Amino acid sequence: MKIPLFLSGLLLIFNSCGDHPSKETATTTEEIPRIKDYLPFSELSLDDLSMFNVETPNWKIVGDVYVDRSKEKVLSSSPGKGILANIPEEDTNNGHIFTNFEHGDLEIEVDVMMPLNSNSGIYFQGRYEVQLLDSWGEKEPTYADIGGIYQSSNYKEDGGYQGNPPRTNASKSPGLWQHFKILFHAPRFNNEGEKIKNAIFQEVWLNGVLVQENVEVTAPTRSAAFEDENAKGPLMIQGDHGPVALRNIIYKKYEDKKLTLSDMYMTEYESNSDTIAGLDTLKVIGESNVDSISANMVTGNRVTRILSYKGQMHVPNSGNYLFNVGLNHGGALLLIGNDTVVDLNGKFGLDTPGIGEIMLEKGKIPFVFIYNKNYPWHTGFGITVEGPEMQKMPLSARNSLGSANNGSDNDILITVEDETITQRGYMMHGEEKRTHCIAVGSPDHINYSYDLSRGTILQVWEGDFLDVTQMWHLRGTNQLAEPKGFSVSFHGDPDFMTLGNKDMVWPDSIPSNIKFKPLGYEMRNNGRPVFLQQEEGASISNSFKSSENGRGLERTISIEGNMDIWHKIAEGESIKQLEDGTYIVNDESYFIDFSGNSDLVPIIRQSNGKDELLLKIPAGSGNITYNIIW
């Protein structure tokens, strides 16, 4: 949308953004694509080995991989493409593999699979290692566990070789795909080639958990490919310690460049309108030259105001730039040159994306940013920008969105000690807020949430129990309880349903023609809840407890009825039965061990582009027990 650069007195009227449809609505209408809040990554093609420098035969491009969880350091593969596999050969030099490009600052995402007790590593610039290891079940991880920053070659009297353990063990079971997101900053050198700043791992995320933050490394890892330090180097995967598989490798290379603002002038207006219009008709509260953009420049408490910033934007490179404005309840407009880049003219919250992408030429260009504080009880906005070879960075002042945080220096947490704890509340499942949830925390830190209105388990997590800050802070604006720990989500549809045949589409909520009655839950002698429901004449109870061996959740279903009923065990991008009889669900990536259920055998079917693992339970009574392993 084109408009003239801000003119005093011009009436600005724009269309506001609508809410996302609920899951029920989205299933019956054309699905609205999710707006991406990042610029595209480059993909490291795994059609062949042409993107790598490789000198030994242990590295192969394959179509699929499989790990037997009972066999140490064994990785099997099948022909195809899309996966980079290190399959060591006996009596052979099993060397490392290097990318044929070099990098300085790098952001990378990659899936990895570790066999039982296997060991590898990702070396940034071929020098600084993020450890890959089968660390499943390790209670006290060290620098040598997955996600650890391995020891450097620089020994210090007060710190040894300076390895850095992950904050928590977010490792999945051997044989499951695990997702890394890593943001690395290369060391800096002056014009004489002298190092003036050490390399830093700004963030390391494993399976959605932040395990490293701002870890400085003073020298290359002890077993690095290069002993010196440099501004650039190739990415390296270690090949001499054990098998490993990698897929979905995407990356961005960054230069040390920033977009900056200057010559800014701020005007504060008194306003009681939900929209931004006719600023020349509003009373001016104050105006001044400023060197930053911040919601904290609003004067007065519990007031409604408009802040208008005008200035110059200095663009470091020509190319596409993506701006993202977040609002702690309010409105905003971002205008660059003659374009409206972000239009949030109305009343919006943090759940509404204020994302705009624009092509900019290198150099200086005028901009206008207008913030409408139209909620007297809320203040706060944030602006970020990402560009070509430029990492996402803030444009607003550091504390401008501070009031939108959970709002307390001390979050409100529920912890578990010696007894099982339950907490009712609202919880998010994907993009949908579920309103009839109960979270269950156990003393052994295997926790889960359950949707009572649909009779379904939502997610399971290991770690601390529950963050209920949003339920209580500022009158519970979002009213959400959030898991504290490494979690895996499930399909969230009703777990049980009567189907006319095995090909009927599984509904995402209880159909109106189905006789369904939730009966709440009972606390049994072991202190754990048992969830009860009736459906089409069948009485169903569900109970959950931690698995005896390793990280897992054991589910027991007791059922009594006079007709057949179906149970949806899992849903994913793909579901396969492995050689050991377990089922692997690829999407969230977890195992289902269904052994020990006599003649009951699940089926795998495809529906709506997904694989589903379904079980037909015949009329009568009986118990079913299976394990969810992740």
Side-chain angles (χ1 to χ4, degrees):
M1 175 180 177
K2 296 271 190 180
I3 68 167
L5 184 62
F6 185 85
L7 297 175
S8 176
L10 182 66
L11 184 65
L12 302 175
I13 302 175
F14 304 97
N15 295 323
S16 63
C17 300
D19 293 332
H20 289 297
S22 68
K23 187 177 181 184
E24 289 81 5
T25 303
T27 58
T28 57
T29 60
E30 184 177 352
E31 187 173 346
I32 299 175
R34 182 179 177 87
I35 300 174
K36 290 187 176 180
D37 59 356
Y38 58 88
L39 292 176
F41 284 75
S42 298
E43 181 179 359
L44 193 63
S45 174
L46 298 179
D47 291 343
D48 53 40
L49 290 172
S50 61
M51 298 293 291
F52 301 92
N53 295 318
V54 55
E55 298 179 353
T56 52
N58 49 305
W59 292 98
K60 300 174 175 63
I61 297 295
V62 300
D64 203 359
V65 287
Y66 163 68
V67 166
D68 186 328
R69 291 180 294 131
S70 66
K71 296 180 180 179
E72 185 170 316
K73 293 188 176 182
V74 175
L75 180 70
S76 303
S77 68
S78 57
K81 58 186 179 180
I83 295 175
L84 174 66
N86 173 35
I87 304 177
E89 301 181 4
E90 293 184 8
D91 303 322
T92 302
N93 177 21
N94 296 303
H96 312 317
I97 192 171
F98 299 83
T99 59
N100 58 16
F101 67 81
E102 293 191 334
H103 70 86
D105 294 355
L106 186 73
E107 181 176 358
I108 186 170
E109 296 194 34
V110 57
D111 296 333
V112 302
M113 182 186 289
M114 302 302 301
L116 179 66
N117 292 334
S118 194
N119 184 345
S120 184
I122 302 175
Y123 285 73
F124 288 76
Q125 297 188 313
R127 294 171 171 87
Y128 314 100
E129 182 186 14
V130 174
Q131 174 75 350
L132 302 181
L133 188 80
D134 168 29
S135 301
W136 188 56
E138 180 62 50
K139 299 300 183 183
E140 297 182 5
T142 71
Y143 65 86
D145 283 293
I146 191 167
I149 306 301
Y150 206 81
Q151 290 181 323
S152 75
S153 57
N154 186 11
Y155 182 83
K156 288 191 174 182
E157 293 293 337
D158 58 345
Y161 288 105
Q162 305 170 292
N164 205 72
R167 292 178 172 181
T168 187
N169 184 6
S171 170
K172 287 189 176 183
S173 168
L176 291 177
W177 285 109
Q178 311 195 56
H179 186 72
F180 269 102
K181 179 178 180 179
I182 303 171
L183 188 51
F184 168 81
H185 289 284
R188 300 291 192 255
F189 299 86
N190 61 21
N191 293 334
E192 288 72 39
E194 299 169 330
K195 187 174 72 169
I196 56 175
K197 189 176 182 181
N198 288 321
I200 295 176
F201 285 97
Q202 180 178 328
E203 293 178 352
V204 178
W205 295 79
L206 174 59
N207 297 320
V209 178
L210 182 64
V211 296
Q212 304 279 1
E213 186 173 23
N214 294 326
V215 177
E216 188 172 348
V217 285
T218 60
T221 301
R222 294 167 65 186
S223 56
F226 311 103
E227 295 181 358
D228 66 339
E229 294 188 275
N230 209 322
K232 292 189 176 181
L235 197 70
M236 181 190 99
I237 312 297
Q238 188 176 36
D240 62 352
H241 277 42
V244 63
L246 304 94
R247 69 174 187 182
N248 298 334
I249 306 174
I250 57 175
Y251 65 94
K252 293 179 184 178
K253 294 191 288 184
Y254 296 128
E255 300 293 335
D256 190 16
K257 296 180 179 179
K258 297 183 182 298
L259 185 149
T260 58
L261 308 176
S262 69
D263 304 325
M264 289 187 292
Y265 193 80
M266 185 273 290
T267 305
E268 181 181 13
Y269 300 90
E270 187 177 86
S271 174
N272 58 8
S273 175
D274 292 347
T275 57
I276 301 165
L279 298 186
D280 62 334
T281 66
L282 302 178
K283 179 182 178 180
V284 175
I285 302 297
E287 50 191 337
S288 63
N289 294 309
V290 294
D291 58 6
S292 65
I293 294 177
S294 174
N296 294 314
M297 293 181 183
V298 170
T299 59
N301 295 319
R302 300 176 187 175
V303 296
T304 54
R305 295 281 192 266
I306 287 178
L307 300 181
S308 174
Y309 295 87
K310 290 190 274 188
Q312 297 293 320
M313 182 175 290
H314 299 260
V315 180
N317 282 335
S318 297
N320 286 340
Y321 285 78
L322 187 141
F323 294 83
N324 193 342
V325 177
L327 293 167
N328 180 27
H329 296 83
L333 294 172
L334 175 62
L335 295 75
I336 301 177
N338 293 321
D339 293 293
T340 301
V341 180
V342 174
D343 177 359
L344 292 175
N345 195 7
K347 302 183 82 170
F348 300 91
L350 285 171
D351 55 350
T352 302
I355 298 170
E357 186 174 346
I358 184 174
M359 169 69 183
L360 297 176
E361 296 292 335
K362 180 178 180 180
K364 188 184 294 187
I365 187 170
F367 81 94
V368 173
F369 177 72
I370 305 173
Y371 166 54
N372 187 4
K373 184 185 179 304
N374 49 30
Y375 285 84
W377 293 90
H378 297 280
T379 303
F381 66 80
I383 315 172
T384 62
V385 60
E386 179 186 359
E389 297 185 324
M390 190 189 83
Q391 182 184 334
K392 180 187 290 186
M393 58 168 287
L395 283 181
S396 51
R398 184 175 182 180
N399 60 351
S400 178
L401 196 58
S403 56
N405 295 334
N406 285 343
S408 172
D409 292 335
N410 298 304
D411 291 342
I412 304 171
L413 305 178
I414 299 177
T415 58
V416 182
E417 294 182 358
D418 298 329
E419 297 181 353
T420 299
I421 289 181
T422 60
Q423 174 65 51
R424 295 286 295 270
Y426 296 171
M427 301 188 77
M428 294 301 296
H429 183 262
E431 298 295 314
E432 183 182 8
K433 180 185 283 188
R434 300 290 181 102
T435 57
H436 294 73
C437 299
I438 180 169
V440 181
S442 68
D444 53 12
H445 303 295
I446 299 294
N447 317 302
Y448 65 93
S449 61
Y450 192 87
D451 186 340
L452 295 164
S453 67
R454 302 186 197 184
T456 182
I457 184 171
L458 296 178
Q459 61 191 27
V460 62
W461 65 97
E462 181 184 41
D464 296 332
F465 181 40
L466 209 61
D467 185 338
V468 293
T469 307
Q470 294 186 59
M471 295 175 63
W472 300 106
H473 180 67
L474 292 177
R475 301 184 181 183
T477 302
N478 295 315
Q479 302 177 342
L480 288 172
E482 295 184 321
K484 291 287 290 182
F486 163 42
S487 66
V488 171
S489 294
F490 307 116
H491 57 77
D493 299 335
D495 277 348
F496 301 93
M497 192 58 54
T498 55
L499 300 179
N501 59 72
K502 66 179 179 63
D503 297 319
M504 287 185 62
V505 174
W506 197 279
D508 63 0
S509 59
I510 304 294
S512 58
N513 63 335
I514 294 293
K515 296 178 181 178
F516 172 77
K517 186 177 181 180
L519 299 176
Y521 58 93
E522 296 177 353
M523 304 301 286
R524 298 284 169 87
N525 293 335
N526 54 20
R528 292 189 292 265
V530 176
F531 301 98
L532 308 172
Q533 66 188 69
Q534 289 181 349
E535 187 165 338
E536 292 295 321
S539 296
I540 305 169
S541 71
N542 286 273
S543 62
F544 304 86
K545 68 176 183 178
S546 303
S547 300
E548 294 182 0
N549 299 316
R551 184 199 295 127
L553 189 69
E554 180 183 291
R555 180 176 193 172
T556 298
I557 301 166
S558 297
I559 191 164
E560 183 175 347
N562 56 11
M563 61 185 298
D564 297 345
I565 194 165
W566 287 83
H567 172 39
K568 185 173 180 178
I569 302 172
E571 176 185 275
E573 293 178 354
S574 68
I575 300 176
K576 294 185 296 185
Q577 188 172 19
L578 303 178
E579 294 175 10
D580 62 4
T582 59
Y583 297 87
I584 185 169
V585 182
N586 281 325
D587 189 356
E588 285 287 346
S589 192
Y590 56 93
F591 293 117
I592 297 290
D593 182 355
F594 200 78
S595 58
N597 286 291
S598 62
D599 296 331
L600 293 179
V601 179
I603 65 169
I604 300 172
R605 73 169 191 178
Q606 190 171 60
S607 179
N608 290 329
K610 295 272 191 174
D611 280 0
E612 295 175 332
L613 185 64
L614 303 184
L615 177 70
K616 184 177 181 181
I617 304 173
S621 61
N623 294 329
I624 300 164
T625 298
Y626 61 86
N627 279 283
I628 305 166
I629 303 167
W630 75 101

